[in-house]
Amino acid sequence: MSQILVAWLLADRARADVLAAAHDGLDDEERARAARFANASTLRDFVLGRWLMRSELAKWTGALAAGWRFPLDAHGRPIPRHRDRTAPDTPSINLSHGGGLVAVVVASDGPVGIDVESVDRELPSRRLDRFLSQEEHAALAGLEPLARRERFWRIWTLKEALLKARGTGIAGGLASIAFGFDHADRPCILRRDGADDDAVEWRLVECRPTETTRLSIACGGIGAMHGEVRVERRTAAMD
Ligand SMILES: CC(C)(COP(=O)(O)OP(=O)(O)OC[C@H]1O[C@@H](n2cnc3c(N)ncnc32)[C@H](O)[C@@H]1OP(=O)(O)O)[C@@H](O)C(=O)NCCC(=O)NCCS
């Protein structure tokens, strides 16, 4: 059975010493990337994201935080590697920043993806059928504006979490996956077109870390179906 952990913090409440440690902990490539961010909050979120991944992996594995590196795969997904550990021991990890939060999901095995978004905002002004499957589009059409907005952001975070777990990111095709909700309002996958991982079972978990945010995770593999999911706010890192 997998163990799954979601850890999150509020970026604008990160303690000064945490931010300083986060900057100090960047490797050369990350430093070069950080230097290219023009926007201060984007830079802060990036730096805190790397810090949160390092500190959660250190707690999880016991391997020094400073030893973690995150080379990117062909789709841009950071893959955790430790200078003193071998890959088979390494848990899966994924990161999201949104709605003022920085959040990571760690899983003992199987692919994982996470997405967090602010939900107190209007739907994207661009055509929704670019993002939604036909089924999702039809289900939204019958809803009142507030319920529609709520449903859209739930679907959106679920989609991104699943596409990130599969490793393709949005290039995997937002409209190629259709989500629905069962009689108990639990999310489920109605359809996946062209997926080369159809054999993989996905567990979907949603939570609302703050009033204005929605967070979803997707965890793959048989072990993930029944594993415990802990959601923890990293209060000690915040003022
Ligand atoms: C990853 C992606 C879904 C980002 O979504 P987002 O809601 O804007 O941002 P989030 O904060 O939730 O996630 C960003 C994090 O996801 C991770 N990530 C990046 N690419 C990823 C991928 N292919 N799969 C899984 N995780 C990925 C990174 O940790 C990134 O944070 P970092 O840049 O600080 O390292 C999106 O940018 C994407 O799909 N990228 C892949 C490339 C792609 O498909 N490009 C198509 C251009 S049309």
Side-chain angles (χ1 to χ4, degrees):
M1 231 166 19
S2 303
Q3 290 179 56
I4 300 158
L5 168 71
V6 175
W8 63 272
L9 56 83
L10 292 166
D12 66 355
R13 291 196 32 210
R15 285 174 23 175
D17 60 321
V18 167
L19 271 172
H23 278 276
D24 288 349
L26 297 179
D27 66 24
D28 291 345
E29 265 175 49
E30 291 164 343
R31 240 173 254 278
R33 190 173 159 202
R36 293 195 292 272
F37 287 118
N39 179 297
S41 61
T42 311
L43 168 63
R44 178 200 63 195
D45 290 357
F46 169 71
V47 169
L48 285 173
R50 286 298 184 275
W51 177 83
L52 194 57
M53 287 207 288
R54 287 195 164 92
S55 69
E56 295 306 323
L57 286 168
K59 276 186 239 168
W60 187 288
T61 63
L64 269 184
W68 290 99
R69 296 287 174 267
F70 302 99
L72 305 183
D73 73 6
H75 296 286
R77 177 192 181 92
I79 307 294
R81 297 273 180 263
H82 197 276
R83 62 174 185 226
D84 306 327
R85 285 171 67 86
T86 50
D89 298 301
T90 303
S92 310
I93 192 163
N94 196 226
L95 161 75
S96 182
H97 9 63
L101 264 69
V102 175
V104 300
V105 59
V106 189
S108 51
D109 50 73
V112 281
I114 185 168
D115 189 52
V116 60
E117 300 282 345
S118 161
V119 294
D120 61 344
R121 55 193 171 124
E122 290 308 321
L123 307 190
S125 54
R126 283 177 289 165
R127 288 175 49 205
L128 290 188
D129 56 3
R130 287 188 54 206
F131 305 118
L132 299 176
S133 65
Q134 283 175 356
E135 296 92 323
E136 293 160 347
H137 207 251
L140 281 185
L143 298 175
E144 296 298 320
L146 269 182
R148 191 163 173 261
R149 191 166 82 178
E150 165 82 8
R151 176 63 58 100
F152 174 82
W153 288 116
R154 283 181 76 185
I155 292 173
W156 179 266
T157 56
L158 288 161
K159 251 177 218 279
E160 288 231 338
L162 183 62
L163 288 169
K164 288 171 77 179
R166 286 167 65 190
T168 54
I170 53 175
L174 289 167
S176 67
I177 305 168
F179 285 96
F181 296 89
D182 69 12
H183 60 282
D185 203 29
R186 285 179 303 233
C188 53
I189 298 171
L190 301 176
R191 179 173 56 80
R192 282 184 286 170
D193 286 346
D196 52 10
D197 58 356
D198 265 342
V200 177
E201 288 198 67
W202 293 101
R203 179 166 176 195
L204 306 167
V205 180
E206 299 175 287
C207 65
R208 192 188 272 273
T210 65
E211 272 299 301
T212 57
T213 54
R214 272 271 179 189
L215 185 154
S216 294
I217 61 170
C219 311
I222 301 291
M225 290 303 133
H226 306 291
E228 182 196 4
V229 180
R230 288 179 292 138
V231 180
E232 296 179 3
R233 174 184 156 119
R234 289 290 170 248
T235 307
M238 294 185 265
D239 281 327

